[in-house]
Amino acid sequence: MFAFRSRLDKAHTALVYLLVVLAGSVRGGRQLGLALAGCAFLLFNWFFLPPYGTFTILNPLDWLVLVSFLIVSVVAAQMLHREQMGAEEARRRADEVDRLAALGAETLNIARPDEALDAVTAVIRDTLKVATCRIHMTPHPAGHATSLDPLVAWAASSGQTVLRHGDGTTGLIAAGATFESGLESATGARAVLIPLRVRDRTVGVLELADEEDIALDPDQRRFLAALAYYAALGVERARLSAEAGRAEVLREADRLKDALIASVSHDLRTPLTTIKALAHDLRTGGDDRAATIEEEADRLNRLVADLLDLSRLQAGGVPLHLELNAADDLVGALVQQVSGALDTRELKVILEDGGPLLVGRFDLAQSLRVLVNLVENAHKYAPAGTPIELRTSRDGAFVALAVSDRGPGVPPEEQERIFEPFYRAPGRTPDVGGAGLGLAIARRLAEAQSGTLRYEPRAGGGSVFTLRLPAADLAEADFL
Ligand code: ADP
């Protein structure tokens, strides 16, 4: 430029110097940019502003050019620097996210959930340089009460991060602080207990502990916040897998029980038939004790038949004949079957909706069996002399058959349990007969026909057991 000085305008000089400053800033950073701006300012003055070869200036307006040049080049160097720092920070963040994502995928991909948890704790221990990093699952997966450190238990139940300091005092991370910024106050603690949360539920506690005060820089805090979430997911996975394992064991036990019931009840039938036949012979021969043997054999036979039915029902092996039937036919068959057993007790039949015939699609024999069981139960449990009511009605898509008695009713905590196999009310003497299978079989029979069997307390005392069976439209049943 010096060679062409006579032909150069101030603007040309300023622009060329500006290019040099920018190029310097891009390659060498802010320091070089600013140094070049200073040099360019002096060189501009010395070589290109008259009088040449001095730092004095002839035309005061040239100061304007010079100072503007200096400001523009300093601001440009500064802005470039800021942009570069932003880009650098973004790159660092992206690297960190990549690293965390890879880590998360790696740790959570480990086949065994407890090994995945070990991997997460090992990564935290190594990255944060703390002596201990442990994950406490709450509640304990095996279900037994392990002696949890009270502080750990408190962190889990309150959902707040707890700090333990070197002097034995404890602190909390201020409520309302975001987890990451809250961890700032963890600096200086000897132990940090972080509740692990998944979907608003605390699943465990992450414990960091060291002999020295724990110091976490912003990067480490960010890292810990992310890994605490991985740890929470890992705990949840371990819990779900333990649950699935338990469910599988239960299913297996259930299958074994079904197989056992089926085979035992099957094997009992043949000897029972022989015993009964022999007792029958003895009775005709005049031995009175034979009658008792025969009665007891009958009772055992009924129990074995019930057991077989229950196991068949559970396996879906009871053949059902679902046909259009009138509720009247069912009620008629019931009255006929139970009248002998009820002695003097009255069975009141109430047919509601006196209108069109009630029709349903159900198995007549099996539904009759359910109702006989309900009426026999009512007869067994209700005081002598009180009537039993049978009410039939249309209830939405169902035909409802309700058997009501004035017996003791069923306490609320037992109202579902009485439908479980072998459940008998506590304190009830076994001589009332039955083994607690009647209602279990009845409910399964109802459900196998897409119906329901439910208990309700009766107003004024007693029980109402309602069998609901799918109703059918009369038009469908024209031929009945
Ligand atoms: P079981 O009658 O052989 O004991 P069930 O399965 O028929 O077996 O009944 C289970 C339990 O439900 C009975 O032990 C009894 O406690 C209760 N229960 C059934 N029906 C009635 C009723 N009508 N009133 C009061 N309790 C009943």
Side-chain angles (χ1 to χ4, degrees), residues 108-127:
L108 293 180
N109 248 339
I110 295 177
R112 290 176 41 120
D114 34 343
E115 283 173 9
L117 285 184
D118 289 346
V120 173
T121 48
V123 167
I124 297 180
R125 207 172 22 242
D126 295 347
T127 316

mmCIF file with all atom_site columns, all heavy atoms in Angstrom, residues 108-127:
data_model
loop_
_atom_site.group_PDB
_atom_site.id
_atom_site.type_symbol
_atom_site.label_atom_id
_atom_site.label_alt_id
_atom_site.label_comp_id
_atom_site.label_asym_id
_atom_site.label_entity_id
_atom_site.label_seq_id
_atom_site.pdbx_PDB_ins_code
_atom_site.Cartn_x
_atom_site.Cartn_y
_atom_site.Cartn_z
_atom_site.occupancy
_atom_site.B_iso_or_equiv
_atom_site.pdbx_formal_charge
_atom_site.auth_seq_id
_atom_site.auth_comp_id
_atom_site.auth_asym_id
_atom_site.auth_atom_id
_atom_site.pdbx_PDB_model_num
ATOM 1   N N   . LEU A 1 108 ? -28.216 -49.205 30.103 1.00 0.00 ? 108 LEU A N   1
ATOM 2   C CA  . LEU A 1 108 ? -29.559 -49.778 30.195 1.00 0.00 ? 108 LEU A CA  1
ATOM 3   C C   . LEU A 1 108 ? -29.712 -50.995 29.280 1.00 0.00 ? 108 LEU A C   1
ATOM 4   O O   . LEU A 1 108 ? -30.658 -51.734 29.387 1.00 0.00 ? 108 LEU A O   1
ATOM 5   C CB  . LEU A 1 108 ? -30.612 -48.721 29.872 1.00 0.00 ? 108 LEU A CB  1
ATOM 6   C CG  . LEU A 1 108 ? -30.693 -47.614 30.915 1.00 0.00 ? 108 LEU A CG  1
ATOM 7   C CD1 . LEU A 1 108 ? -31.754 -46.605 30.549 1.00 0.00 ? 108 LEU A CD1 1
ATOM 8   C CD2 . LEU A 1 108 ? -30.973 -48.167 32.304 1.00 0.00 ? 108 LEU A CD2 1
ATOM 9   N N   . ASN A 1 109 ? -28.753 -51.173 28.386 1.00 0.00 ? 109 ASN A N   1
ATOM 10  C CA  . ASN A 1 109 ? -28.835 -52.309 27.469 1.00 0.00 ? 109 ASN A CA  1
ATOM 11  C C   . ASN A 1 109 ? -28.308 -53.594 28.072 1.00 0.00 ? 109 ASN A C   1
ATOM 12  O O   . ASN A 1 109 ? -28.500 -54.661 27.510 1.00 0.00 ? 109 ASN A O   1
ATOM 13  C CB  . ASN A 1 109 ? -28.011 -52.020 26.213 1.00 0.00 ? 109 ASN A CB  1
ATOM 14  C CG  . ASN A 1 109 ? -28.924 -51.875 25.046 1.00 0.00 ? 109 ASN A CG  1
ATOM 15  O OD1 . ASN A 1 109 ? -30.049 -52.354 25.110 1.00 0.00 ? 109 ASN A OD1 1
ATOM 16  N ND2 . ASN A 1 109 ? -28.463 -51.251 23.994 1.00 0.00 ? 109 ASN A ND2 1
ATOM 17  N N   . ILE A 1 110 ? -27.621 -53.464 29.197 1.00 0.00 ? 110 ILE A N   1
ATOM 18  C CA  . ILE A 1 110 ? -27.045 -54.661 29.820 1.00 0.00 ? 110 ILE A CA  1
ATOM 19  C C   . ILE A 1 110 ? -28.184 -55.616 30.147 1.00 0.00 ? 110 ILE A C   1
ATOM 20  O O   . ILE A 1 110 ? -29.223 -55.210 30.665 1.00 0.00 ? 110 ILE A O   1
ATOM 21  C CB  . ILE A 1 110 ? -26.264 -54.254 31.089 1.00 0.00 ? 110 ILE A CB  1
ATOM 22  C CG1 . ILE A 1 110 ? -25.081 -53.394 30.663 1.00 0.00 ? 110 ILE A CG1 1
ATOM 23  C CG2 . ILE A 1 110 ? -25.808 -55.481 31.846 1.00 0.00 ? 110 ILE A CG2 1
ATOM 24  C CD1 . ILE A 1 110 ? -24.265 -52.870 31.789 1.00 0.00 ? 110 ILE A CD1 1
ATOM 25  N N   . ALA A 1 111 ? -27.972 -56.892 29.819 1.00 0.00 ? 111 ALA A N   1
ATOM 26  C CA  . ALA A 1 111 ? -29.093 -57.836 29.895 1.00 0.00 ? 111 ALA A CA  1
ATOM 27  C C   . ALA A 1 111 ? -29.692 -57.929 31.288 1.00 0.00 ? 111 ALA A C   1
ATOM 28  O O   . ALA A 1 111 ? -30.900 -57.896 31.460 1.00 0.00 ? 111 ALA A O   1
ATOM 29  C CB  . ALA A 1 111 ? -28.614 -59.204 29.423 1.00 0.00 ? 111 ALA A CB  1
ATOM 30  N N   . ARG A 1 112 ? -28.847 -58.015 32.346 1.00 0.00 ? 112 ARG A N   1
ATOM 31  C CA  . ARG A 1 112 ? -29.424 -58.178 33.684 1.00 0.00 ? 112 ARG A CA  1
ATOM 32  C C   . ARG A 1 112 ? -29.603 -56.821 34.336 1.00 0.00 ? 112 ARG A C   1
ATOM 33  O O   . ARG A 1 112 ? -28.660 -56.033 34.421 1.00 0.00 ? 112 ARG A O   1
ATOM 34  C CB  . ARG A 1 112 ? -28.510 -59.053 34.526 1.00 0.00 ? 112 ARG A CB  1
ATOM 35  C CG  . ARG A 1 112 ? -28.515 -60.503 34.049 1.00 0.00 ? 112 ARG A CG  1
ATOM 36  C CD  . ARG A 1 112 ? -27.509 -61.238 34.872 1.00 0.00 ? 112 ARG A CD  1
ATOM 37  N NE  . ARG A 1 112 ? -27.605 -60.782 36.261 1.00 0.00 ? 112 ARG A NE  1
ATOM 38  C CZ  . ARG A 1 112 ? -27.883 -61.563 37.274 1.00 0.00 ? 112 ARG A CZ  1
ATOM 39  N NH1 . ARG A 1 112 ? -28.075 -62.818 37.072 1.00 0.00 ? 112 ARG A NH1 1
ATOM 40  N NH2 . ARG A 1 112 ? -27.944 -61.080 38.498 1.00 0.00 ? 112 ARG A NH2 1
ATOM 41  N N   . PRO A 1 113 ? -30.830 -56.533 34.831 1.00 0.00 ? 113 PRO A N   1
ATOM 42  C CA  . PRO A 1 113 ? -31.099 -55.200 35.363 1.00 0.00 ? 113 PRO A CA  1
ATOM 43  C C   . PRO A 1 113 ? -30.181 -54.815 36.517 1.00 0.00 ? 113 PRO A C   1
ATOM 44  O O   . PRO A 1 113 ? -29.766 -53.666 36.612 1.00 0.00 ? 113 PRO A O   1
ATOM 45  C CB  . PRO A 1 113 ? -32.544 -55.284 35.835 1.00 0.00 ? 113 PRO A CB  1
ATOM 46  C CG  . PRO A 1 113 ? -33.103 -56.539 35.320 1.00 0.00 ? 113 PRO A CG  1
ATOM 47  C CD  . PRO A 1 113 ? -31.997 -57.407 34.862 1.00 0.00 ? 113 PRO A CD  1
ATOM 48  N N   . ASP A 1 114 ? -29.811 -55.751 37.397 1.00 0.00 ? 114 ASP A N   1
ATOM 49  C CA  . ASP A 1 114 ? -28.968 -55.334 38.529 1.00 0.00 ? 114 ASP A CA  1
ATOM 50  C C   . ASP A 1 114 ? -27.545 -55.019 38.073 1.00 0.00 ? 114 ASP A C   1
ATOM 51  O O   . ASP A 1 114 ? -26.879 -54.148 38.640 1.00 0.00 ? 114 ASP A O   1
ATOM 52  C CB  . ASP A 1 114 ? -28.978 -56.364 39.674 1.00 0.00 ? 114 ASP A CB  1
ATOM 53  C CG  . ASP A 1 114 ? -29.087 -57.778 39.153 1.00 0.00 ? 114 ASP A CG  1
ATOM 54  O OD1 . ASP A 1 114 ? -29.464 -57.917 37.979 1.00 0.00 ? 114 ASP A OD1 1
ATOM 55  O OD2 . ASP A 1 114 ? -28.794 -58.717 39.907 1.00 0.00 ? 114 ASP A OD2 1
ATOM 56  N N   . GLU A 1 115 ? -27.101 -55.679 36.982 1.00 0.00 ? 115 GLU A N   1
ATOM 57  C CA  . GLU A 1 115 ? -25.779 -55.330 36.458 1.00 0.00 ? 115 GLU A CA  1
ATOM 58  C C   . GLU A 1 115 ? -25.807 -53.950 35.830 1.00 0.00 ? 115 GLU A C   1
ATOM 59  O O   . GLU A 1 115 ? -24.835 -53.201 35.887 1.00 0.00 ? 115 GLU A O   1
ATOM 60  C CB  . GLU A 1 115 ? -25.335 -56.364 35.420 1.00 0.00 ? 115 GLU A CB  1
ATOM 61  C CG  . GLU A 1 115 ? -24.851 -57.635 36.065 1.00 0.00 ? 115 GLU A CG  1
ATOM 62  C CD  . GLU A 1 115 ? -24.559 -58.728 35.045 1.00 0.00 ? 115 GLU A CD  1
ATOM 63  O OE1 . GLU A 1 115 ? -24.578 -58.434 33.834 1.00 0.00 ? 115 GLU A OE1 1
ATOM 64  O OE2 . GLU A 1 115 ? -24.324 -59.864 35.474 1.00 0.00 ? 115 GLU A OE2 1
ATOM 65  N N   . ALA A 1 116 ? -26.961 -53.594 35.223 1.00 0.00 ? 116 ALA A N   1
ATOM 66  C CA  . ALA A 1 116 ? -27.098 -52.257 34.635 1.00 0.00 ? 116 ALA A CA  1
ATOM 67  C C   . ALA A 1 116 ? -26.967 -51.210 35.737 1.00 0.00 ? 116 ALA A C   1
ATOM 68  O O   . ALA A 1 116 ? -26.306 -50.183 35.563 1.00 0.00 ? 116 ALA A O   1
ATOM 69  C CB  . ALA A 1 116 ? -28.437 -52.128 33.920 1.00 0.00 ? 116 ALA A CB  1
ATOM 70  N N   . LEU A 1 117 ? -27.572 -51.477 36.903 1.00 0.00 ? 117 LEU A N   1
ATOM 71  C CA  . LEU A 1 117 ? -27.475 -50.536 38.016 1.00 0.00 ? 117 LEU A CA  1
ATOM 72  C C   . LEU A 1 117 ? -26.029 -50.414 38.482 1.00 0.00 ? 117 LEU A C   1
ATOM 73  O O   . LEU A 1 117 ? -25.554 -49.313 38.762 1.00 0.00 ? 117 LEU A O   1
ATOM 74  C CB  . LEU A 1 117 ? -28.353 -51.013 39.178 1.00 0.00 ? 117 LEU A CB  1
ATOM 75  C CG  . LEU A 1 117 ? -29.849 -50.816 38.988 1.00 0.00 ? 117 LEU A CG  1
ATOM 76  C CD1 . LEU A 1 117 ? -30.601 -51.244 40.234 1.00 0.00 ? 117 LEU A CD1 1
ATOM 77  C CD2 . LEU A 1 117 ? -30.156 -49.360 38.687 1.00 0.00 ? 117 LEU A CD2 1
ATOM 78  N N   . ASP A 1 118 ? -25.334 -51.546 38.547 1.00 0.00 ? 118 ASP A N   1
ATOM 79  C CA  . ASP A 1 118 ? -23.925 -51.502 38.950 1.00 0.00 ? 118 ASP A CA  1
ATOM 80  C C   . ASP A 1 118 ? -23.128 -50.649 37.969 1.00 0.00 ? 118 ASP A C   1
ATOM 81  O O   . ASP A 1 118 ? -22.250 -49.889 38.368 1.00 0.00 ? 118 ASP A O   1
ATOM 82  C CB  . ASP A 1 118 ? -23.333 -52.919 38.974 1.00 0.00 ? 118 ASP A CB  1
ATOM 83  C CG  . ASP A 1 118 ? -23.890 -53.714 40.137 1.00 0.00 ? 118 ASP A CG  1
ATOM 84  O OD1 . ASP A 1 118 ? -24.497 -53.086 41.024 1.00 0.00 ? 118 ASP A OD1 1
ATOM 85  O OD2 . ASP A 1 118 ? -23.740 -54.955 40.145 1.00 0.00 ? 118 ASP A OD2 1
ATOM 86  N N   . ALA A 1 119 ? -23.459 -50.793 36.668 1.00 0.00 ? 119 ALA A N   1
ATOM 87  C CA  . ALA A 1 119 ? -22.727 -50.033 35.656 1.00 0.00 ? 119 ALA A CA  1
ATOM 88  C C   . ALA A 1 119 ? -22.959 -48.535 35.852 1.00 0.00 ? 119 ALA A C   1
ATOM 89  O O   . ALA A 1 119 ? -22.021 -47.730 35.784 1.00 0.00 ? 119 ALA A O   1
ATOM 90  C CB  . ALA A 1 119 ? -23.160 -50.460 34.265 1.00 0.00 ? 119 ALA A CB  1
ATOM 91  N N   . VAL A 1 120 ? -24.211 -48.148 36.147 1.00 0.00 ? 120 VAL A N   1
ATOM 92  C CA  . VAL A 1 120 ? -24.504 -46.717 36.344 1.00 0.00 ? 120 VAL A CA  1
ATOM 93  C C   . VAL A 1 120 ? -23.722 -46.198 37.549 1.00 0.00 ? 120 VAL A C   1
ATOM 94  O O   . VAL A 1 120 ? -23.079 -45.150 37.488 1.00 0.00 ? 120 VAL A O   1
ATOM 95  C CB  . VAL A 1 120 ? -26.022 -46.491 36.555 1.00 0.00 ? 120 VAL A CB  1
ATOM 96  C CG1 . VAL A 1 120 ? -26.294 -45.050 36.929 1.00 0.00 ? 120 VAL A CG1 1
ATOM 97  C CG2 . VAL A 1 120 ? -26.788 -46.846 35.300 1.00 0.00 ? 120 VAL A CG2 1
ATOM 98  N N   . THR A 1 121 ? -23.732 -46.955 38.644 1.00 0.00 ? 121 THR A N   1
ATOM 99  C CA  . THR A 1 121 ? -23.027 -46.461 39.835 1.00 0.00 ? 121 THR A CA  1
ATOM 100 C C   . THR A 1 121 ? -21.522 -46.379 39.576 1.00 0.00 ? 121 THR A C   1
ATOM 101 O O   . THR A 1 121 ? -20.871 -45.438 40.015 1.00 0.00 ? 121 THR A O   1
ATOM 102 C CB  . THR A 1 121 ? -23.279 -47.348 41.073 1.00 0.00 ? 121 THR A CB  1
ATOM 103 O OG1 . THR A 1 121 ? -23.073 -48.690 40.693 1.00 0.00 ? 121 THR A OG1 1
ATOM 104 C CG2 . THR A 1 121 ? -24.673 -47.188 41.609 1.00 0.00 ? 121 THR A CG2 1
ATOM 105 N N   . ALA A 1 122 ? -20.996 -47.355 38.808 1.00 0.00 ? 122 ALA A N   1
ATOM 106 C CA  . ALA A 1 122 ? -19.555 -47.322 38.532 1.00 0.00 ? 122 ALA A CA  1
ATOM 107 C C   . ALA A 1 122 ? -19.205 -46.076 37.715 1.00 0.00 ? 122 ALA A C   1
ATOM 108 O O   . ALA A 1 122 ? -18.214 -45.387 38.005 1.00 0.00 ? 122 ALA A O   1
ATOM 109 C CB  . ALA A 1 122 ? -19.142 -48.579 37.782 1.00 0.00 ? 122 ALA A CB  1
ATOM 110 N N   . VAL A 1 123 ? -20.047 -45.751 36.735 1.00 0.00 ? 123 VAL A N   1
ATOM 111 C CA  . VAL A 1 123 ? -19.770 -44.572 35.904 1.00 0.00 ? 123 VAL A CA  1
ATOM 112 C C   . VAL A 1 123 ? -19.816 -43.309 36.757 1.00 0.00 ? 123 VAL A C   1
ATOM 113 O O   . VAL A 1 123 ? -18.947 -42.432 36.659 1.00 0.00 ? 123 VAL A O   1
ATOM 114 C CB  . VAL A 1 123 ? -20.797 -44.486 34.752 1.00 0.00 ? 123 VAL A CB  1
ATOM 115 C CG1 . VAL A 1 123 ? -20.728 -43.130 34.086 1.00 0.00 ? 123 VAL A CG1 1
ATOM 116 C CG2 . VAL A 1 123 ? -20.546 -45.575 33.750 1.00 0.00 ? 123 VAL A CG2 1
ATOM 117 N N   . ILE A 1 124 ? -20.818 -43.212 37.635 1.00 0.00 ? 124 ILE A N   1
ATOM 118 C CA  . ILE A 1 124 ? -20.931 -42.014 38.484 1.00 0.00 ? 124 ILE A CA  1
ATOM 119 C C   . ILE A 1 124 ? -19.709 -41.922 39.400 1.00 0.00 ? 124 ILE A C   1
ATOM 120 O O   . ILE A 1 124 ? -19.090 -40.857 39.539 1.00 0.00 ? 124 ILE A O   1
ATOM 121 C CB  . ILE A 1 124 ? -22.219 -42.063 39.330 1.00 0.00 ? 124 ILE A CB  1
ATOM 122 C CG1 . ILE A 1 124 ? -23.442 -42.050 38.410 1.00 0.00 ? 124 ILE A CG1 1
ATOM 123 C CG2 . ILE A 1 124 ? -22.277 -40.892 40.296 1.00 0.00 ? 124 ILE A CG2 1
ATOM 124 C CD1 . ILE A 1 124 ? -24.756 -42.105 39.133 1.00 0.00 ? 124 ILE A CD1 1
ATOM 125 N N   . ARG A 1 125 ? -19.336 -43.061 39.991 1.00 0.00 ? 125 ARG A N   1
ATOM 126 C CA  . ARG A 1 125 ? -18.203 -43.060 40.927 1.00 0.00 ? 125 ARG A CA  1
ATOM 127 C C   . ARG A 1 125 ? -16.936 -42.581 40.211 1.00 0.00 ? 125 ARG A C   1
ATOM 128 O O   . ARG A 1 125 ? -16.225 -41.703 40.701 1.00 0.00 ? 125 ARG A O   1
ATOM 129 C CB  . ARG A 1 125 ? -18.010 -44.477 41.449 1.00 0.00 ? 125 ARG A CB  1
ATOM 130 C CG  . ARG A 1 125 ? -17.380 -44.514 42.805 1.00 0.00 ? 125 ARG A CG  1
ATOM 131 C CD  . ARG A 1 125 ? -17.353 -45.886 43.430 1.00 0.00 ? 125 ARG A CD  1
ATOM 132 N NE  . ARG A 1 125 ? -17.453 -46.988 42.512 1.00 0.00 ? 125 ARG A NE  1
ATOM 133 C CZ  . ARG A 1 125 ? -18.448 -47.870 42.514 1.00 0.00 ? 125 ARG A CZ  1
ATOM 134 N NH1 . ARG A 1 125 ? -19.420 -47.766 43.388 1.00 0.00 ? 125 ARG A NH1 1
ATOM 135 N NH2 . ARG A 1 125 ? -18.467 -48.853 41.650 1.00 0.00 ? 125 ARG A NH2 1
ATOM 136 N N   . ASP A 1 126 ? -16.700 -43.112 39.013 1.00 0.00 ? 126 ASP A N   1
ATOM 137 C CA  . ASP A 1 126 ? -15.462 -42.758 38.315 1.00 0.00 ? 126 ASP A CA  1
ATOM 138 C C   . ASP A 1 126 ? -15.478 -41.322 37.825 1.00 0.00 ? 126 ASP A C   1
ATOM 139 O O   . ASP A 1 126 ? -14.482 -40.626 37.884 1.00 0.00 ? 126 ASP A O   1
ATOM 140 C CB  . ASP A 1 126 ? -15.253 -43.694 37.116 1.00 0.00 ? 126 ASP A CB  1
ATOM 141 C CG  . ASP A 1 126 ? -15.024 -45.108 37.592 1.00 0.00 ? 126 ASP A CG  1
ATOM 142 O OD1 . ASP A 1 126 ? -14.796 -45.267 38.814 1.00 0.00 ? 126 ASP A OD1 1
ATOM 143 O OD2 . ASP A 1 126 ? -15.099 -46.042 36.765 1.00 0.00 ? 126 ASP A OD2 1
ATOM 144 N N   . THR A 1 127 ? -16.635 -40.874 37.317 1.00 0.00 ? 127 THR A N   1
ATOM 145 C CA  . THR A 1 127 ? -16.669 -39.538 36.730 1.00 0.00 ? 127 THR A CA  1
ATOM 146 C C   . THR A 1 127 ? -16.613 -38.469 37.808 1.00 0.00 ? 127 THR A C   1
ATOM 147 O O   . THR A 1 127 ? -15.973 -37.436 37.641 1.00 0.00 ? 127 THR A O   1
ATOM 148 C CB  . THR A 1 127 ? -17.940 -39.364 35.880 1.00 0.00 ? 127 THR A CB  1
ATOM 149 O OG1 . THR A 1 127 ? -18.108 -40.522 35.112 1.00 0.00 ? 127 THR A OG1 1
ATOM 150 C CG2 . THR A 1 127 ? -17.852 -38.154 34.996 1.00 0.00 ? 127 THR A CG2 1
#
